[in-house]
Amino acid sequence: MAKYPAGVNFDRLEEGMDAMRRIGPSGHYVGDAFTLKYFQDAFFAPELLNYEPYEQWSANGRKDPAGSCRREGGGTLKAIRTADA
């Protein structure tokens, strides 16, 4: 969640564009130096999403994303209000 307020980071844009030009539309990026260098940072999986299989999710009480957002957001708002006080 802390990444969202920071906005989109374009620091690697030129390097990424160079990789796109180098590889071209019919190539693959998996073995390219740019991909290998930044792969770990390339994906963001929000903590609020549940990645369990349906059966496991169901067995764990079927917690819905809206409820998770309310719980997480409530704690964040409480922390902000406490800091402002």
Side-chain angles (χ1 to χ4, degrees):
M1 299 268 301
K3 291 184 178 186
Y4 289 122
V8 178
N9 184 337
F10 291 99
D11 291 348
R12 300 177 189 157
L13 179 63
E14 194 56 41
E15 194 175 356
M17 294 299 292
D18 288 343
M20 289 173 59
R21 287 185 208 99
R22 182 175 57 251
I23 296 166
S26 61
H28 72 85
Y29 295 79
V30 176
D32 187 69
F34 178 80
T35 304
L36 296 173
K37 185 175 179 181
Y38 295 114
F39 183 77
Q40 295 296 324
D41 298 331
F43 301 101
F44 174 69
E47 296 172 10
L48 296 174
L49 295 180
N50 187 324
Y51 296 97
E52 296 175 319
Y54 175 81
E55 294 79 11
Q56 187 67 40
W57 170 78
S58 185
N60 287 338
R62 298 179 179 222
K63 296 176 185 169
D64 68 301
S68 298
C69 289
R70 282 192 292 279
R71 284 188 298 279
E72 180 69 25
T76 302
L77 286 174
K78 191 178 292 184
I80 291 170
R81 288 181 183 137
T82 303
D84 288 342

